Amino acid sequence: MDPHTDPSASPGILQLARKSSITFQDRRDSLPRSNSGEQVMERHLDLDLTYITERIISVFFLPELEEQRYRGNLQEVAAMLKSKHQDKFLLLNLSEKRHDITRLNPKVQDYGWPDDHAPPLDRICAVCKAMDTWLTSDPHHVVVLHCKGNKGKTGVLVAAYMHYSKISAGADQALTTLAMRKFCEDKVSSALQPSQNRYIYYFGGLLSGSIKMNSSPLSLQQVLIPSLPNFQAEGGYYPFLKIYQSLQLVYTSGVYDPQNSRARTLCVTMNPALPLKGDIM
């Protein structure tokens, strides 16, 4: 269906779509000059819709967006995507599961995890496989990464797919990689948590073979932080430790007062030792 004639799509979004939609050849010609690998089709205070590449789209909603406005914007985005890509788009939901998203587009897969956490490695791998399977099955297929909340979630998966797609790199892979890298650097790098950056590194290492998974359980007996940061000269914070195994909380320490220790160290001892296996945060 031609987006110029589809009455169900939002005129405002479609007008921007017509202005910013480019062909792959246009992107090939413009990237060296503009040094930009993304096309923003719709940007206002509520959402940011970006064509990371011609076939990978990011749709980000602010976490504090009021529910009614969020649903209205979601309907607009769905109408635009249907008018431009018909039934050729797969939506990967990186936030909490919502039935209204499925009603707008039946091709939805849920991969959400808590904000400000890194996703488990098996979930990163599952998303990359889903993206690759969908994109390689039809040259007209596109993937939409939906996120409401922490934009770092999108950054983790785009960076991970950048590593993953290099395994079966084609002739145009260098340009696609450049576009994904520019998106990560320009749009989401500041939103990435340290654990999210670390899991991007882990995933890349697993793919390259430089990191090996340990399948045997280990026992954690003690966590030592040799130097606590001094956020305020007179205190102002009370650290504690939480340990997650595959996103499940398995240990919470007591709250510590760093002012009681002149050495400004923190030592947490588990008694008995805590058995751990798999993804640990």
Side-chain angles (χ1 to χ4, degrees):
M1 183 180 295
D2 187 349
H4 293 244
T5 60
D6 180 16
S8 66
S10 164
I13 290 183
L14 285 180
Q15 184 178 10
L16 284 165
R18 289 195 292 269
K19 289 180 180 178
S20 60
S21 178
I22 61 175
T23 65
F24 195 60
Q25 184 61 46
D26 291 334
R27 183 184 296 278
R28 189 195 308 272
D29 294 338
S30 64
L31 263 173
R33 294 193 301 271
S34 65
N35 199 31
S36 173
E38 64 193 38
Q39 290 298 313
V40 179
M41 292 183 64
E42 170 69 349
R43 181 196 296 273
H44 50 67
L45 294 178
D46 292 343
L47 71 93
D48 185 348
L49 192 156
T50 304
Y51 271 67
I52 304 170
T53 72
E54 66 166 4
R55 302 180 65 198
I56 302 176
I57 306 165
S58 165
V59 180
F60 170 73
F61 293 90
L62 295 173
E64 65 273 12
L65 183 61
E66 189 268 332
E67 180 66 20
Q68 185 174 355
R69 291 179 64 181
Y70 167 67
R71 288 198 301 265
N73 286 326
L74 197 61
Q75 290 173 353
E76 278 192 288
V77 170
M80 186 278 292
L81 291 171
K82 288 176 182 177
S83 70
K84 190 170 179 62
H85 300 289
Q86 292 79 49
D87 61 346
K88 300 290 188 179
F89 68 95
L90 171 68
L91 192 147
L92 303 182
N93 179 29
L94 311 183
S95 302
E96 66 180 33
K97 187 173 182 178
R98 296 179 59 105
H99 295 294
D100 51 353
I101 295 179
T102 307
R103 286 196 296 268
L104 291 172
N105 176 41
K107 296 187 184 70
V108 175
Q109 296 182 17
D110 291 292
Y111 294 101
W113 69 91
D115 280 356
D116 301 328
H117 285 64
L121 288 169
D122 58 352
R123 193 164 308 182
I124 297 177
C125 189
V127 173
C128 289
K129 286 182 178 179
M131 292 177 66
D132 198 59
T133 299
W134 179 256
L135 292 174
T136 55
S137 63
D138 187 322
H140 296 102
H141 279 177
V142 299
V143 167
V144 181
L145 300 174
H146 166 271
C147 179
K148 183 178 186 290
N150 177 256
K151 191 180 287 189
K153 289 182 173 184
T154 304
V156 170
L157 294 179
V158 172
Y161 188 69
M162 188 166 57
H163 289 294
Y164 186 91
S165 59
K166 290 179 182 178
I167 298 175
S168 56
D172 293 320
Q173 184 58 42
L175 188 65
T176 301
T177 300
L178 175 61
M180 289 189 285
R181 180 179 292 116
K182 286 297 297 177
F183 172 80
C184 291
E185 291 175 352
D186 297 345
K187 307 265 304 177
V188 297
S189 61
S190 61
L192 286 170
Q193 300 294 318
S195 62
Q196 293 173 336
N197 271 316
R198 189 167 63 251
Y199 267 63
I200 295 170
Y201 168 77
Y202 289 161
F203 187 70
L206 288 171
L207 292 176
S208 67
S210 62
I211 295 178
K212 303 294 184 182
M213 290 288 287
N214 180 14
S215 59
S216 302
L218 300 175
S219 295
L220 180 63
Q221 295 179 315
Q222 192 176 83
V223 175
L224 175 65
I225 302 177
S227 179
L228 289 174
N230 188 15
F231 291 116
Q232 297 181 16
E234 298 180 359
Y237 79 105
Y238 296 89
F240 61 95
L241 176 67
K242 285 187 175 182
I243 299 176
Y244 293 83
Q245 179 174 267
S246 298
L247 288 183
Q248 299 298 315
L249 182 64
V250 295
Y251 178 84
T252 303
S253 74
V255 178
Y256 294 84
D257 183 359
Q259 301 307 308
N260 291 335
S261 173
R262 292 186 177 182
R264 300 202 61 78
T265 62
L266 177 62
C267 181
V268 181
T269 301
M270 290 78 174
N271 190 14
L274 185 65
L276 296 171
K277 181 181 178 180
D279 278 323
I280 308 299
M281 288 189 290

